[in-house]
């Protein structure tokens, strides 16, 4: 069936009375100013599909459990390692399914899972079981997945892996690439396979260059970048380069590259990322929760980079709160409103988020994914909002219907089959007391 929308709000503005014809999960044709037909799925106000461009699904275990500990990012990281130690393919599937269900019912239609829990706790390999578990979890709830399979080789610059990090590592860049290329043929479950270098802390300079050269140009390549000042200090001490300069010299920076966080940058770093046309994934709720800082989002966009948003540790799963965090953090940092135009905010959540996950055509464009989110434009939160500013007033509670590939996958807070994400989360979290 075709999809008819009373109003479509995207980065180009507002269109009225729009019909989308879809085939194979993609938009085949778009008609504007037409009446609905009897066989159409009829929707109200919609936006294009929203991409969660950076997620660590298993971090959801820590929600509401670490605040009393205090400390900083490094203190929090110890709790994260403890959660990772409890994962096996069965529990990972169950947890990821629950987290992806929460995402899709909240209004996310695609996710980039930054995945590095590859092996058993002692580092002995699983035959791609962890990766396939994540892919199966996404398929089971109907969210699009780009599995960002991640290289993780050291415990810090010039430091060996700690025992708790062994299961993340393939041992060398060559071994990582061998496993990655084998996985490309085996991941299955409709997932796209991307790649990631965890960080300049976790992958040496020569290995970063080897990995970048060993992947074809169509593969999205992500990396955590300058999330903490200590990373910058260690990188400059070891290499005489900032992390961004190191990535540039290693051949990473290009239009296929995505830097996550990019919080503590120099002016030169911003220029390099902008000149490369790289994507930047800001994760406002995580960057606030962990005390990371506020990154130079406006400066990066003005320099030529593209912005996207991610939920990272999944302490909050709400695409509307995450996206308007871009603007709110800018207001806090600069004491001014309107740092981003509404269209720029929406483009980050939709078109450019999908681009960072390897999609060359944006959702709801001919040839692009037939992915969209119907928003309740008459709720207590949204009533009176200009259509172009709904991303600044709505929350996940206003995601009425979520459509991926032309098919309804979630409606009014539940999956298409009526399953509650809360029940899935309840069952999954029993494994993590």
């Amino acid at each position: 069936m075709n999809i008819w929308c009373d109003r479509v709000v995207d980065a180009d503005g507002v269109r009225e009375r729009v019909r989308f014809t879809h085939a194979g999960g993609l938009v085949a044709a778009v008609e504007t100013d037409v009446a609905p037909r009897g066989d159409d799925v009829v929707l109200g106000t919609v936006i294009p599909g929203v991409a969660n461009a950076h997620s660590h699904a298993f971090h959801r275990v820590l929600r509401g459990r670490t605040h009393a500990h205090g400390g900083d990012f490094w203190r929090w990281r110890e709790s994260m390692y403890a959660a990772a130690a409890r994962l096996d393919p069965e529990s990972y599937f169950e947890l990821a399914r629950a987290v992806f269900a929460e995402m899709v019912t909240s209004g996310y239609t695609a996710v980039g899972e930054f995945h590095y829990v590859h092996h058993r706790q002692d580092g002995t390999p699983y035959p791609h079981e962890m990766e396939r578990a994540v892919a199966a979890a996404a398929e089971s709830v109907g969210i699009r997945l780009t599995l960002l399979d991640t290289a993780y080789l050291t415990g810090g610059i010039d430091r060996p892996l700690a025992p708790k990090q062994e299961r993340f590592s393939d041992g060398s860049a060559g071994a990582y690439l061998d496993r990655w290329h084998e996985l490309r043929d085996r991941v299955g479950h409709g997932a796209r396979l991307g790649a990631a270098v965890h960080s300049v802390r976790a992958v040496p300079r020569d290995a970063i260059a080897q990995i970048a050269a060993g992947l074809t140009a169509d593969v999205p390549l992500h990396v955590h970048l300058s999330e903490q000042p200590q990373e910058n200090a260690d990188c400059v001490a070891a290499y005489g380069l900032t992390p961004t300069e190191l990535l540039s010299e290693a051949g990473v920076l290009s239009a296929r590259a995505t830097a996550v966080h990019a919080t503590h940058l120099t002016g030169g770093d911003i220029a390099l990322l902008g000149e490369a046309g790289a994507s930047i994934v800001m994760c406002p709720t995580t960057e606030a929760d962990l005390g990371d800082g506020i990154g130079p989002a406006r400066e990066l966009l003005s320099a030529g980079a593209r912005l996207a948003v991610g939920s990272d540790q999944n302490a909050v799963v709400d695409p509307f709160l995450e996206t308007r965090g871009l603007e709110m953090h800018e207001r806090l940092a600069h004491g001014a409103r309107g740092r981003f135009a509404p269209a720029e905010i929406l483009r980050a959540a939709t078109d450019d988020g999908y681009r960072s996950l390897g999609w060359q055509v944006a959702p709801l464009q001919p040839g692009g994914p037939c992915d969209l989110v119907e928003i309740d434009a008459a709720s207590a939160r949204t009533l009176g909002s200009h259509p172009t500013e709904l991303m600044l007033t709505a929350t996940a509670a206003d995601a009425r219907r979520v459509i991926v590939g032309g098919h309804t996958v979630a409606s009014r807070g539940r999956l298409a089959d009526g399953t509650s994400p809360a029940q899935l989360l309840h069952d999954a979290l029993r494994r993590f007391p």
Side-chain angles (χ1 to χ4, degrees):
M1 290 187 289
N2 300 323
I3 299 169
W4 184 90
C5 308
D6 182 55
R7 176 185 292 140
V8 176
V9 184
D10 60 22
D12 294 323
V14 180
R15 292 174 285 171
E16 306 285 349
R17 297 160 53 85
V18 182
R19 176 184 292 113
F20 297 99
T21 302
H22 59 90
L26 305 178
V27 174
V30 182
E31 302 169 85
T32 303
D33 198 22
V34 296
R37 295 197 297 247
D39 61 346
D40 287 343
V41 174
V42 176
L43 304 177
T45 298
V46 307
I47 60 172
V50 178
N52 181 352
H54 186 73
S55 163
H56 301 290
F58 79 89
H59 291 190
R60 171 63 179 82
V61 170
L62 303 179
R63 184 190 297 179
R65 298 184 179 184
T66 60
H67 180 76
H69 298 168
D72 56 12
F73 168 86
W74 306 102
R75 173 80 178 271
W76 170 89
R77 191 175 70 157
E78 294 304 311
S79 299
M80 181 271 289
Y81 286 149
R86 302 180 70 90
L87 294 171
D88 58 29
E90 182 180 353
S91 64
Y92 208 178
F93 167 78
E94 192 173 8
L95 179 59
R97 177 180 59 176
V99 176
F100 293 155
E102 184 180 10
M103 287 181 193
V104 79
T105 57
S106 298
Y108 285 117
T109 53
V111 59
E113 182 62 23
F114 198 101
H115 166 72
Y116 51 84
V117 188
H118 302 302
H119 307 302
R120 294 178 175 87
Q121 287 192 49
D122 63 359
T124 57
Y126 280 121
H128 308 299
E129 290 181 43
M130 300 295 271
E131 291 73 32
R132 289 178 60 82
V134 175
E139 182 187 45
S140 72
V141 304
I143 196 168
R144 293 191 190 271
L145 171 69
T146 297
L147 184 65
L148 298 164
D149 192 80
T150 303
Y152 196 122
L153 302 177
T154 61
I157 296 175
D158 294 328
R159 292 173 54 191
L161 292 164
K164 57 198 169 190
Q165 298 167 319
E166 291 284 351
R167 70 181 315 185
F168 307 157
S169 181
D170 294 299
S172 69
Y176 164 79
L177 287 168
D178 288 344
R179 187 182 56 77
W180 188 93
H181 284 286
E182 186 178 69
L183 178 61
R184 197 171 200 185
D185 297 327
R186 298 188 184 185
V187 64
H189 301 286
R192 289 180 164 224
L193 185 63
V197 169
H198 181 275
S199 60
V200 301
R201 291 183 284 108
V203 185
R205 174 169 56 180
D206 291 348
I208 292 173
Q210 184 179 348
I211 290 167
L215 299 167
T216 57
D218 64 320
V219 177
L221 179 59
H222 289 221
V223 56
H224 291 128
L225 180 67
S226 293
E227 182 177 6
Q228 291 289 319
Q230 189 63 51
E231 175 184 308
N232 290 357
D234 291 348
C235 189
V236 170
Y239 300 115
L241 301 168
T242 68
T244 301
E245 291 168 341
L246 186 151
L247 293 178
S248 180
E249 288 202 359
V252 170
L253 297 189
S254 70
R256 67 104 171 247
T258 293
V260 181
H261 301 305
T263 307
H264 303 283
L265 302 180
T266 67
D269 295 338
I270 293 170
L272 285 171
L273 291 161
E275 290 164 5
S279 296
I280 311 296
V281 182
M282 296 290 185
C283 306
T285 63
T286 288
E287 288 147 9
D289 183 74
L290 298 182
D292 288 343
I294 299 173
R298 176 70 261 176
E299 290 87 345
L300 283 159
L301 187 65
S302 297
R306 297 174 185 250
L307 295 182
V309 294
S311 66
D312 195 356
Q313 62 161 326
N314 296 300
V316 176
V317 174
D318 187 322
F320 304 96
L321 293 182
E322 206 73 68
T323 302
R324 67 172 165 268
L326 290 174
E327 169 69 17
M328 299 309 167
H329 281 193
E330 284 285 317
R331 293 181 186 185
L332 289 171
H334 296 278
R337 304 177 78 248
R339 295 281 292 174
F340 293 105
E344 291 175 321
I345 295 171
L346 186 55
R347 183 176 291 110
T350 59
D351 299 14
D352 287 346
Y354 268 72
R355 177 182 178 272
S356 77
L357 299 182
W359 291 90
Q360 298 306 308
V361 181
L364 296 191
Q365 298 299 315
C370 190
D371 300 352
L372 55 92
V373 182
E374 182 185 27
I375 298 176
D376 186 347
S379 75
R381 293 163 294 279
T382 60
L383 192 63
S385 301
H386 190 279
T388 60
E389 296 191 22
L390 283 168
M391 292 301 290
L392 293 168
T393 59
T395 71
D398 297 307
R400 296 184 63 181
R401 201 170 339 180
V402 181
I403 292 176
V404 176
H407 302 285
T408 298
V409 296
S411 180
R412 297 187 180 276
R414 291 179 175 266
L415 297 179
D417 64 3
T419 301
S420 164
Q423 185 60 55
L424 294 177
L425 286 161
H426 175 269
D427 294 343
L429 290 172
R430 287 185 300 180
R431 295 175 179 265
F432 301 90

